[in-house]
Amino acid sequence: MFKHFSTLLVAFAIATGCGTAHSVTLSMVPSSQTISTTEAQVNLFISELGDFMAPALGAFDVEITYDNSIVSLSSASFGTWLGQSMQTVTESAASVQLIEVSLEPTDFLNDLQPGNFLLATLHFKGVGVGTSEVGFSSVVLSDALGNEILNPALEPASIVVESVVPVPASVWLFGSGLLGLVGIARSK
């Protein structure tokens, strides 16, 4: 229910304004990283907005895709630069949709936001060996007035998982072998 309401709010915010051609970039940082069984953190940044002036970001609806045979999403969190807002995270098998709509007035957002800031942070865990592209499936952005920000430049990321040998399983195997050797030594 909340997902549909949030989507309607973003659509309304965009429909009430006329599209504008701000040149902005959505980028994932770091652009590439290699992990084994540890977690990878990918930060979603927006840049090239007004620096403490218009245009400020008022809402976004971003769907991010990844290869779920290589990584799984552990968590997603939002930045603080849209002030008081409505936020939703919707996960599916190989994607996550992030929606945030600011409830703040335009002047507040213009004064609050720098030209570049963090929109969200995603944490992934390695589940298979290989390379997963972390990319954009769909992107809808609107400024603080509800005008759509058209054609943002998109900079995806990739996560390389080298090994997913579970450490606890190998420790158990080593420990049981060691206990077996101790048992044999004691019986002699």
Side-chain angles (χ1 to χ4, degrees):
M1 172 79 173
F2 183 71
K3 175 187 172 193
H4 298 295
F5 182 69
S6 298
T7 302
L8 287 174
L9 274 177
V10 171
F12 175 75
I14 291 169
T16 57
C18 57
T20 57
H22 304 298
S23 173
V24 301
T25 300
L26 282 183
S27 55
M28 293 189 205
V29 177
S31 61
S32 180
Q33 59 189 300
T34 301
I35 63 170
S36 56
T37 58
T38 59
E39 219 171 63
Q41 176 176 309
V42 177
N43 295 307
L44 177 60
F45 282 94
I46 189 165
S47 58
E48 301 171 49
L49 288 168
D51 200 12
F52 302 107
M53 64 177 157
L57 185 69
F60 66 89
D61 180 347
V62 177
E63 185 170 4
I64 297 171
T65 59
Y66 51 90
D67 185 338
N68 64 347
S69 68
I70 298 173
V71 295
S72 68
L73 182 69
S74 301
S75 67
S77 59
F78 290 89
T80 59
W81 294 102
L82 270 66
Q84 185 176 0
S85 63
M86 293 181 18
Q87 305 168 342
T88 183
V89 176
T90 306
E91 292 180 54
S92 66
S95 69
V96 59
Q97 182 179 22
L98 306 170
I99 300 173
E100 185 171 14
V101 179
S102 178
L103 302 174
E104 303 290 358
T106 302
D107 290 339
F108 178 85
L109 290 174
N110 288 339
D111 293 340
L112 172 71
Q113 295 176 359
N116 308 314
F117 59 88
L118 177 71
L119 290 179
T121 299
L122 304 171
H123 289 97
F124 294 94
K125 185 165 182 77
V127 295
V129 176
T131 301
S132 174
E133 187 75 23
V134 182
F136 298 94
S137 174
S138 66
V139 173
V140 179
L141 306 171
S142 68
D143 66 16
L145 295 172
N147 298 318
E148 185 174 5
I149 299 173
L150 301 173
N151 304 319
L154 304 175
E155 298 176 355
S158 64
I159 300 172
V160 178
V161 180
E162 290 184 329
S163 172
V164 290
V165 174
V167 174
S170 61
V171 169
W172 279 108
L173 182 60
F174 176 74
S176 62
L178 190 59
L179 284 175
L181 289 174
V182 169
I184 291 171
R186 288 184 112 188
S187 66
K188 287 185 176 184

